[in-house]
Structure formats: C-alpha cells, structure tokens
Amino acid sequence: MGAPPRNPESDRLMSDETHRFATRLSHGGRAGTRIHGFVNPPVHRGSTVLHPSVEARRDAANHRFEQYMTYGTQGGPTHYALEDMIAEIEGGTRCTIFGTGLAAVAVPLLAFLKTGDHCLIPDSCYGPARNLAEGLMKGFGITTTFYDPKISGEEVATLFQPNTRVLYAESPGSHTFEIQDIPALAAVAHARGAKVLMDNTWGIHHYQPFRHGVDVSIQALTKYVGGHSDILLGSATVNDEADWKTLRGASSQLGQYASPDDVWLAIRGLRTMHVRLKHQEAAGLEVARWFESRREVLQVLHPGLPSHSQHELFARDFTGSCSLFGVVFDPRYSQAQIDTCINSLKLFGIGASWGGYESLALPTSGNITRTATTGEFGGKIARFHIGLEDTRDLIADLEHGFAHLN
Ligand SMILES: *Cc1c(COP(=O)(O)O)cnc(C)c1O
C-alpha cells in the first residue's frame, strides 16, 4: 500500500493498510501531534524556503524528485499531504498535484511524448484533451489516432505504429460513458513499449487503475474530491520511480503549481468524500432508474445499470459508480423540446463540471466531437449529475420538467 508518508509534518504513518477506505480518508495526511496538536494540517503558503546552512540547502537540491523543499514551486507540506492521500486512494506510490484537472491531463501527455511520437486517444475523451492533441501536440510533431473506446485488445494492436509511445484512456468516456477494457489494451501497449495514461476522474476509488495496467492515473480533483464546486485542482499518480521522474520533471519544467488554499480545501473535501460518494452512487442509480422507466427516454448511459451495453465489463473492473450519467431522449423529441424541459427544472443547475453537492443538467448533443465513432445513440443526449438533494425532490422536479416534453 503505497510509499511511507512524505509529508514532513506527519509524525506517523498516514494510515494502515489493514484499514478500510473510509478510515484512511479520515486519518490520511494528518499532521499527527506536531502542529500543536491541531487535528488538521495548516495551510502553508510560500515561495522562499529557508535552510539552516548552505550545506543543508545543497543537500535538499540533490533530492529534487524526493520532494525535499527548496522553493515554493516544488510544493510544500500542504501539497504533500494531499499527494499522499491521492496516491493512497489510487493505489499508487507517488502523486503530483496540478492547478486544474486539465493540467493533470496535459502535463503527463507532454511528459511521455516527444516530437515524432504517436499517441492513441479514445474518441470519447474529455474534449479539451482532444484540443491538446489537435493543437499543441500536433504543432510539436506528435501524431494522434483517435480510437473507438469499445475497441478490443486485438483491434487496438492494429492501430499501433512503431513510434506509438502512449495509449491514453478514459473510462467511462466523457458524455457517452463507454467502458474501456483497460487490462486488454494495457497488455498490448506494454508489449509495444508504450505507456498507459488514464483519466480516472469518474472512477475515483471505484476503479483501481494500477491493478488494471495503468501507468499514470489522472484525476480532476475539482469533481468529487473538492465536492463543493469551489476549487479547481488535478492530480497525476504513478506507481514506478522512473515514471515519477518523467512526470515530476515535466511538471516542474512547466512550472506547475496549485494554490495551497485550494489544496487544503481538497483535503477537507476528502474527509467526507466516502459518505458523499456512497450517497451519490445510490442517488445516481435511483434517478437513472427513474429515467429508464420513462417512455420519453430511449436509453440511459449509466454503466452501473444492467441495461448498459457494457455493464459486464463495468462489473468486472469497477467496485461502484458515481452520480454522473447520460440520458438519450426518444428521437421524437427535438433539441428545442429538450432544452425547454431542462430550462424548466428548478433543482438542476445548467452547467458543466460535476462531483459537487448540487445537481446539474446539460444538453450534450451538438457539443461533443467524435471522429472514430458516430457518436449517435438514437436520440438527443443530456448529461445529469446527481448531487446531495433528496432524490424525491429531484424526481418530482424531473416529473414536472418532463411534462414540458408532451
Ligand atoms: C472536469 C474534467 C477534467 C478537467 O478538470 P478541470 O479541473 O475542470 O480542469 C478532466 N477530465 C474529466 C473527465 C473531467 O470531467
């Protein structure tokens, strides 16, 4: 279970591997009794780091990748506390924090790819990841093939080129919720010397990336970790020392840094994440089943539902689900009718992001790009995030909204 704590303020192991997830979230990253006994670690803001002697300063600089502090951009105790906790949640050894989830997508791609390399990215990736592949990466001479997220190991093997260095994954896919057979894809990638980078934001602790062959696991901590829609943060976690040097080296070359205040809020978010996730998993499934029961709905894109075309794969690799899913409306409804329905909802905010305490609804048809697949699901799609409201109120709100469809 991970490396020993790197948080210099911790006076004991952050947690014990015999402890379960909720216990570890409660006890991880604490300062022990070193900070005057206060249960929470303080926020350390800072640029300058002082050393007792020139020799001590030199010695710290020799340990760049071990997170000895030499300067604020290397992060400080507040960052390390969160990094230790995320590494532990993901089952990796080392984590580095970024100012946004998108930076946590971009830096690993730039770290593991160089001019002349080729990269495989699922068609269902988070939109800004596609923008990076088609923008800066392309400009740097890195080519990308977008692939069907439902691809098998055998099929993906045909897409590999001699210069393929990264297989990128996101499971389930953004907006369309395809589950990827990561172990099969990772086996092919590793046999060809490529790294597997995965956006694991939806899975959080329900998906243990390193057990399935992932080399770099990415999280938008903005979502359920923050949990209150008030911060932006990301993380990338690895399980191998050489990968750590590549990742951390790129992160510091690119000047990546996150606000310690936001990091502190993420640590605070983690303390209650287990309870929120448990509630939101059940609430998400309950509302998804309500959608499924309605004749206005053609299909619900929620991998946790037995009706999902890849539910078996989901059940094999995931231990649970989060509360974000898609709803495909019956094709007789126009975009304008669906927009009117969503506009009429009182408890669902219309907005992007997710993982907070509040429910959200967002029409997605027309706003997602697909080039390797059709992206057609038989009707217009909207994405729903279920927050912490009482599901009876949410369903009543949706019932009123659906009245506008007919
Ligand atoms: C939101 C999100 C991101 C980016 O996170 P930000 O903190 O908003 O930059 C990356 N991947 C996925 C799957 C996301 O949903």
Side-chain angles (χ1 to χ4, degrees):
M1 177 49 62
R6 290 170 299 279
N7 182 359
E9 284 177 353
S10 184
D11 59 4
R12 56 180 187 147
L13 281 175
M14 54 192 165
S15 68
D16 177 325
E17 67 182 275
T18 64
H19 289 146
R20 292 177 178 81
F21 184 60
T23 309
R24 289 190 272 137
L25 285 188
S26 169
H27 285 261
R30 283 197 197 169
T33 54
R34 286 198 191 176
I35 313 295
H36 310 291
F38 282 98
V39 66
N40 288 305
V43 181
H44 286 274
R45 299 186 194 82
S47 52
T48 301
V49 177
L50 298 178
H51 300 268
S53 67
V54 172
E55 292 75 17
R57 171 70 166 76
R58 267 188 211 121
D59 188 53
N62 289 335
H63 299 276
R64 258 181 86 205
F65 296 108
E66 290 157 49
Q67 297 184 322
Y68 275 62
M69 283 163 275
T70 53
Y71 185 58
T73 49
Q74 299 293 315
T78 317
H79 299 90
Y80 300 169
L82 179 61
E83 288 170 357
D84 286 351
M85 290 181 80
I86 300 297
E88 188 163 324
I89 287 169
E90 297 229 80
T93 50
R94 293 266 179 156
C95 166
T96 189
I97 301 296
F98 297 90
T100 63
L102 179 53
V105 169
V107 174
L109 281 167
L110 296 175
F112 288 91
L113 290 162
K114 61 179 187 321
T115 299
D117 287 350
H118 172 248
C119 171
L120 290 165
I121 296 185
D123 209 29
S124 53
C125 70
Y126 174 65
R130 180 185 290 270
N131 295 342
L132 174 65
E134 291 176 340
L136 278 181
M137 280 166 53
K138 191 174 179 185
F140 293 157
I142 299 162
T143 52
T144 300
T145 302
F146 290 94
Y147 65 90
D148 181 343
K150 293 183 176 182
I151 204 165
S152 69
E154 271 168 28
E155 290 163 328
V156 89
T158 67
L159 300 180
F160 271 79
Q161 301 175 9
N163 57 340
T164 307
R165 289 286 162 266
V166 164
L167 181 131
Y168 189 83
E170 184 181 334
S171 179
S174 272
H175 299 300
T176 43
F177 302 93
E178 297 89 345
I179 298 291
Q180 294 197 248
D181 191 348
I182 305 292
L185 306 191
V188 175
H190 290 154
R192 284 161 177 75
K195 293 287 177 190
V196 179
L197 278 49
M198 176 178 176
D199 186 330
N200 192 32
T201 303
W202 194 95
I204 320 175
H205 81 291
H206 295 306
Y207 192 84
Q208 289 289 295
F210 301 105
R211 287 194 198 154
H212 296 104
V214 171
D215 298 300
V216 182
S217 181
I218 293 154
Q219 292 269 355
L221 307 179
T222 305
K223 309 291 162 57
Y224 290 97
V225 171
H228 297 76
S229 307
D230 51 6
I231 56 167
L232 290 156
L233 283 179
S235 67
T237 303
V238 293
N239 203 21
D240 171 274
E241 206 52 29
D243 288 346
W244 169 249
K245 287 187 176 161
T246 304
L247 174 69
R248 185 61 211 160
S251 173
S252 68
Q253 285 170 51
L254 290 165
Q256 294 297 313
Y257 182 72
S259 150
D261 295 278
D262 288 358
V263 167
W264 192 89
L265 284 169
I267 295 170
R268 180 183 169 124
L270 280 172
R271 302 298 182 202
T272 59
M273 188 175 80
H274 179 66
V275 182
R276 288 185 282 109
L277 278 179
K278 221 168 156 174
H279 177 89
Q280 284 175 281
E281 174 178 23
L285 283 166
E286 184 185 343
V287 177
R289 286 198 191 96
W290 176 85
F291 277 113
E292 211 172 33
S293 74
R294 297 290 303 213
R295 59 180 182 79
E296 296 91 340
V297 171
L298 188 67
Q299 202 190 147
V300 179
L301 306 175
H302 188 315
L305 290 178
S307 62
H308 188 273
S309 65
Q310 292 171 296
H311 179 69
E312 254 175 56
L313 195 53
F314 167 83
R316 186 192 74 183
D317 292 349
F318 288 74
T319 55
S321 58
C322 74
S323 63
L324 184 82
F325 57 87
V327 171
V328 183
F329 287 86
D330 188 282
R332 71 176 174 273
Y333 299 112
S334 67
Q335 190 64 58
Q337 281 174 297
I338 293 161
D339 291 353
T340 305
C341 162
I342 289 176
N343 280 334
S344 76
L345 299 174
K346 294 191 167 54
L347 296 178
F348 288 79
I350 299 165
S353 202
W354 44 282
Y357 57 86
E358 81 287 16
S359 291
L360 297 168
L362 190 70
T364 47
S365 288
N367 292 315
I368 53 178
T369 306
R370 298 288 183 265
T371 52
T373 57
T374 63
E376 289 299 324
F377 286 79
K380 304 267 187 261
I381 309 178
R383 190 181 77 175
F384 287 84
H385 170 257
I386 306 306
L388 293 169
E389 302 91 339
D390 192 307
T391 48
R392 290 168 295 188
D393 294 331
L394 293 177
I395 289 172
D397 194 29
L398 290 166
E399 271 166 357
H400 285 128
F402 268 41
H404 289 83
L405 282 176
N406 298 308

